[in-house]
DNA sequence: CATGAATGAGCTTTCATTCAT
DNA sequence: GATGAATGAAAGCTCATTCAT
């Protein structure tokens, strides 16, 4: 993850990865047949951790609104260094998804799963309220939320100094709730 | 642009770029000292075109709200193949901004300029209305809009099939206007 | 050494070096990070051998004069083909010292060490004799001797046919001893 | 001269030479068919200037000893920046003489001419004195003087800081005169 | 005389992958 | 499991030389 985040996929050579992990190039290829396999493993790892973060927050959320907020917080309320590296790695992965078919498939699978999750969360929220949004509108809102989250990762990594401090989660919640 | 969009920065070799432009590798290096210079030229090119698109739409916009919509439409209401390639190239550029210092500087300059533009547009809109948002709130909203736009580029390129058709501009407008 | 001596530093391509050593270009770069590292290794190698030659001759030298002669003989009484290649390589190294900072540093270190050695040897010689030379004069003589030795390498390589046969060691000894 | 002195023959590209001379690459090749021709022209130029320096000093020298000193001074009593560049260029030329046949031929011609000159000057000196040196000894001395001069150029360029200030001409004169 | 775009072969260096040990 | 030397095919870049203008 560190090599991919700091060097990018192409420049994260097996030698560099091996060094960062205090292993030898030969051993890397003993466990992963190709370099792409390492990236795939990383994608799944990051996704699992993100899901775990959401599940942890879900446990204390009792209302639909609270559950939606839990999702947003799990996605955007990051803080420490490990998170920063993970976000940088995720942006790298997103860029690789353009070019590598297998990476794209897995990436799209994760996007689809998150879209489904968001659709469910939003549907619950609208039911609790007046329920003025129809299914296509909810799906559009879910898609937009996902885009915003991905865009926040992107801007946090490449232009973090220009963004307001810790604005992301709070602002997205306000935006979505005023729209529901 | 085509080579960068379809192959990514690292895989867009001078050979590949030369072939796409029907030139020889030597000639590429006669006009650009380094490969990075090509990318820098591309960034400025794409930004200029994006600005031109916004200015064109501005001419028929008479109210603050219309001007804000003009910005969103210029950014998101893309359609033809040329646009798709440009968006893909832009995502590639964003990813490179993580690693190459000079690219990051230019990229951040463009982000800052767009943030300023959005802040101005939003301030005009709030003045026209009740004006319940203070400056930090406007800046947070501007940042969020930029993130959403970048995220839409990202998802359109990597998971376009999963997104609703032409949802982006319309949904972002609705979201922002319900928030103002 | 052979590639550098016969082709010069710039023309001694990694390919050429690899071929001469019956290796592949990739392997050269596995052991040496840059081409300059190869040159640095060569410099140290040649210097070590030259020092060893001097030490060997020192063992049978019992008087200060004999030790000075040992130095001159070690430096100039060369004969076989291996020596010729080494001398040619050394001339190439001297020329590279003009341009490459790291090479110059090492080269200057060797020059300084030899100057110190010669100063010590000459001081011993003058003590044995009447001792009419002061320290600056001895240092000037040492510098001149070093220049003569380097110049002999140069002329032997580029205009060997024009030089008298085996004149160098004998003439330098005569010159220095008539001066002391 | 500047390009060759500061960059070396291989790195002194036609483009670099053109830039230094405020000309265009095409025009260089209009006047010189190949890059080697430029070097040849430079060699002749430097040699002509060196000869002129000697002839100028000869005019005020009336005794054989004074004429020998005039030669040594013309060769070694250099001082300003132009000289430094010329010396550096000459060292570069000497190194090229190892590899390029035509360069070597011209270089050897200059060496031979200087050897003849020195033989004549030394012969005159010995006649004036007791004349204890025979022809082979004079030739050996001439060769050694030439080697010393070339070596001084070399060391002045690559390790000038380590050499005593302005020692060369004075020390060589002392050495030779104590030997005659 | 003069320009400078253009060529193509060459350079050093990087790297995923293999494999004998 | 683990090592690390070895390979060979790229990569970005340089440059003497040519040539249409």
């Amino acid at each position: 993850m560190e090599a991919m985040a700091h060097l990018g996929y192409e420049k994260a050579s097996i030698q560099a990865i091996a060094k960062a992990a205090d292993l030898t190039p030969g051993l890397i290829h003993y466990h992963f047949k190709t370099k792409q396999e390492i990236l795939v493993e990383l994608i799944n790892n990051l996704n699992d951790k993100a899901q775990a973060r959401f599940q942890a927050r879900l446990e204390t959320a009792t209302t639909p609104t609270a559950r939606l907020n839990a999702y947003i917080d799990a996605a955007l309320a990051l803080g420490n260094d490990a998170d920063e590296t993970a976000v940088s790695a995720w942006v790298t992965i997103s860029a690789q998804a353009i070019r590598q078919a297998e990476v794209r498939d897995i990436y799209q699978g994760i996007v689809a799963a998150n879209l489904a999750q968001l659709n469910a969360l939003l549907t619950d929220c609208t039911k609790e309220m007046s329920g003025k949004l129809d299914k296509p509108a909810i799906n559009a809102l879910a898609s937009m939320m996902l885009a915003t989250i991905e865009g926040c990762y992107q801007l946090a990594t490449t232009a973090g100094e220009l963004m307001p401090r810790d604005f992301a989660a709070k602002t997205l919640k306000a935006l979505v709730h005023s729209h529901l």
Side-chain angles (χ1 to χ4, degrees), chain A:
Chain A
M1 179 178 78
E2 270 169 38
M4 298 278 186
H6 298 143
L7 301 170
Y9 179 74
E10 312 287 347
K11 292 280 184 177
S13 67
I14 300 286
Q15 322 268 345
I17 295 169
K19 201 172 204 174
D22 208 20
L23 298 172
T24 55
L27 190 54
I28 303 278
H29 270 289
Y30 179 80
H31 290 289
F32 300 92
K33 209 153 66 192
T34 65
K35 187 175 163 182
Q36 187 174 268
E37 273 186 17
I38 304 174
L39 186 63
V40 168
E41 182 79 7
L42 174 59
I43 300 173
N44 289 326
N45 242 295
L46 288 175
N47 185 48
D48 289 351
K49 272 182 198 146
Q51 283 301 319
R53 234 168 23 232
F54 175 43
Q55 292 304 329
R57 284 180 190 264
L58 259 193
E59 285 180 10
T60 58
T62 49
T63 66
T65 302
R67 281 194 285 276
L68 184 62
N69 285 344
Y71 183 96
I72 294 174
D73 283 329
L76 289 179
L78 305 161
N80 59 48
D81 277 3
D83 292 337
E84 232 174 79
T85 304
V87 167
S88 192
W90 188 253
V91 174
T92 296
I93 287 162
S94 311
Q96 275 316 105
I98 310 181
R99 249 77 62 175
Q100 286 165 255
E102 198 190 342
V103 173
R104 182 168 54 249
D105 288 348
I106 299 172
Y107 183 82
Q108 289 186 350
I110 293 172
V111 168
N114 277 280
L115 265 183
Q117 251 170 345
L118 273 170
N119 266 303
L121 290 168
L122 288 169
T123 304
D124 278 2
C125 280
T126 51
K127 270 184 199 148
E128 192 192 39
M129 302 175 183
S130 50
K132 55 192 161 165
L133 290 179
D134 58 2
K135 260 182 95 170
I138 288 176
N139 189 38
L141 182 57
S143 302
M144 186 105 314
M145 287 178 68
L146 216 52
T148 306
I149 290 165
E150 292 290 317
C152 282
Y153 293 161
Q154 173 73 258
L155 287 178
T157 309
T158 53
E161 302 101 283
L162 303 174
M163 299 290 115
R165 237 179 134 25
D166 295 328
F167 82 109
K170 196 179 131 198
T171 313
L172 182 55
K173 279 186 236 169
L175 212 59
V176 169
H177 289 299
S178 74
H179 190 68
L180 282 171

